[in-house]
Amino acid sequence: MADHEVGMYRATDSQSEQGCQRQALIWNRLSKKALLRVAVGLSAALGGFALLNVVTDRGMMLMTVEDVGVKDEDKAVFRHCLCVFDIDRTLTAKQGWAEKCKDHHVTELAGIQDEAYAKGTMIVSELAQSMSASFCGKCYHGIVTAGIASGPNSLEREHILEFLGGTGRTRTDFWQDIKFQPETDIQSSLVVRAKDGNKQDTVRKMVQWWRTVKKIDIKDGDVYFFDDMAENVKPFANTGLNAFQVSCAVRGPAEKLPGAYDGKIGGCGGAFSELDQIAAKKGVHLCPKSK
């Protein structure tokens, strides 16, 4: 079945009203299922400049982002809270699972490689696409992941930063590789190769970076961490930081990583509902079957 181009959307801070009109034109052309996926995907624009090409294929949405330049560093619109995310199976879904996860509103980014686990085309989770519409939409953002996000200067890193909201949310575009050494001083809000089981140490050091380097005082109780692995969430207990296991609805098969087992990692990635009302759910929270 050939891809069918269904429209384009361009959004800027000064064109929100026009943007709504464009959305209406696009939505009139889409099926209900495709409509929902586009609505979620459009939220990733996050108030900056975004150009999205949207096509549908067998009920899935395939999206390529041609140009994004989110420049809102000077806007004092954020709460003093911090949402920190794992990447693999939190902000992404398992490669090759676009069809399996289509009811979970994932978006496959054609031509963008994801080097995690078995590798393949990058699939963005609903959580990543709907960040701006959630509680975290008013917070600063960070990354603490054990993976490499496909390495320096990769398109995956570019797209992850874009879904986070750009440097307006992260205050840096420097990806710090800490080489699985949790004692490393953190000099960025974007951290790769963080050791599983010790991410709480890295997040705490990141909070200190926000306070001392960026002069933004974020209290421990206003820090929220999201990861698909229970082994990375449990150690946050008694730290004063909040942590949530996500990607609960669909778990993934065993992959090549230490202590692998079926269900250890997520499948379709995080969901919007897993970001909902987190302010009222302080503490450490696991998927029901992980307790």
Side-chain angles (χ1 to χ4, degrees):
M1 174 179 176
D3 289 343
H4 176 60
E5 183 173 338
V6 296
M8 287 182 155
Y9 173 68
R10 182 189 297 268
T12 68
D13 285 337
S14 63
Q15 295 177 314
S16 59
E17 183 175 350
Q18 294 178 10
C20 290
Q21 294 174 349
R22 290 190 187 94
Q23 291 180 47
L25 290 173
I26 294 172
W27 293 352
N28 286 336
R29 305 178 193 175
L30 300 173
S31 67
K32 290 183 179 180
K33 286 187 177 181
L35 168 62
L36 179 57
R37 283 190 283 280
V38 170
V40 172
L42 290 177
S43 71
L46 296 173
F49 171 87
L51 181 62
L52 307 182
N53 283 338
V54 184
V55 297
T56 56
D57 181 12
R58 296 183 297 277
M60 296 178 287
M61 186 175 80
L62 307 178
M63 179 179 73
T64 61
V65 183
E66 291 186 349
D67 187 24
V68 174
V70 181
K71 297 179 180 179
D72 52 2
E73 294 187 24
D74 297 327
K75 296 182 180 179
V77 297
F78 307 136
R79 302 187 188 102
H80 280 204
C81 52
L82 175 66
C83 290
V84 183
F85 303 90
D86 167 54
I87 293 180
D88 302 319
R89 308 300 171 81
T90 296
L91 299 184
T92 64
K94 178 174 172 57
Q95 305 95 321
W97 275 25
E99 177 70 30
K100 183 180 180 68
C101 297
K102 67 179 182 180
D103 290 335
H104 297 274
H105 314 132
V106 302
T107 296
E108 187 168 44
L109 301 182
I112 308 301
Q113 184 71 6
D114 179 357
E115 293 292 323
Y117 304 126
K119 304 181 181 181
T121 301
M122 182 178 178
I123 300 177
V124 185
S125 70
E126 182 187 45
L127 184 154
Q129 298 173 86
S130 58
M131 216 178 284
S132 64
S134 72
F135 169 85
C136 288
K138 290 294 186 180
C139 297
Y140 294 100
H141 295 159
I143 291 291
V144 172
T145 186
I148 61 170
S150 296
N153 303 313
S154 68
L155 289 175
E156 179 181 352
R157 289 190 182 187
E158 178 182 324
H159 283 69
I160 290 296
L161 180 57
E162 148 204 323
F163 282 112
L164 290 174
T167 55
R169 301 293 175 131
T170 64
R171 289 300 191 261
T172 184
D173 60 1
F174 167 57
W175 292 78
Q176 184 180 5
D177 183 346
I178 64 171
K179 302 176 182 179
F180 305 112
Q181 301 298 318
E183 67 275 11
T184 302
D185 287 336
I186 299 305
Q187 302 297 328
S188 175
S189 59
L190 304 169
V191 178
V192 297
R193 290 212 291 176
K195 186 178 180 181
D196 284 332
N198 290 92
K199 289 186 175 181
Q200 72 281 2
D201 301 323
T202 302
V203 171
R204 183 169 295 286
K205 290 176 183 292
M206 179 185 290
V207 173
Q208 284 301 114
W209 174 82
W210 278 98
R211 292 170 179 166
T212 60
V213 177
K214 295 303 177 181
K215 308 301 181 184
I216 298 174
D217 186 18
I218 300 173
K219 299 183 185 302
D220 288 355
D222 292 323
V223 177
Y224 303 85
F225 176 70
F226 303 88
D227 198 293
D228 63 303
M229 289 173 52
E231 290 85 348
N232 287 329
V233 174
K234 291 177 181 179
F236 278 80
N238 302 316
T239 64
L241 308 170
N242 305 291
F244 300 80
Q245 187 182 11
V246 297
S247 194
C248 296
V250 180
R251 305 298 293 172
E255 300 275 7
K256 293 182 179 179
L257 76 164
Y261 57 85
D262 286 344
K264 179 182 178 75
I265 61 177
C268 293
F272 173 76
S273 61
E274 293 171 322
L275 289 183
D276 194 28
Q277 298 180 339
I278 62 171
K281 295 173 61 180
K282 298 276 188 175
V284 175
H285 299 270
L286 302 175
C287 297
K289 294 181 180 180
S290 297
K291 296 179 180 179

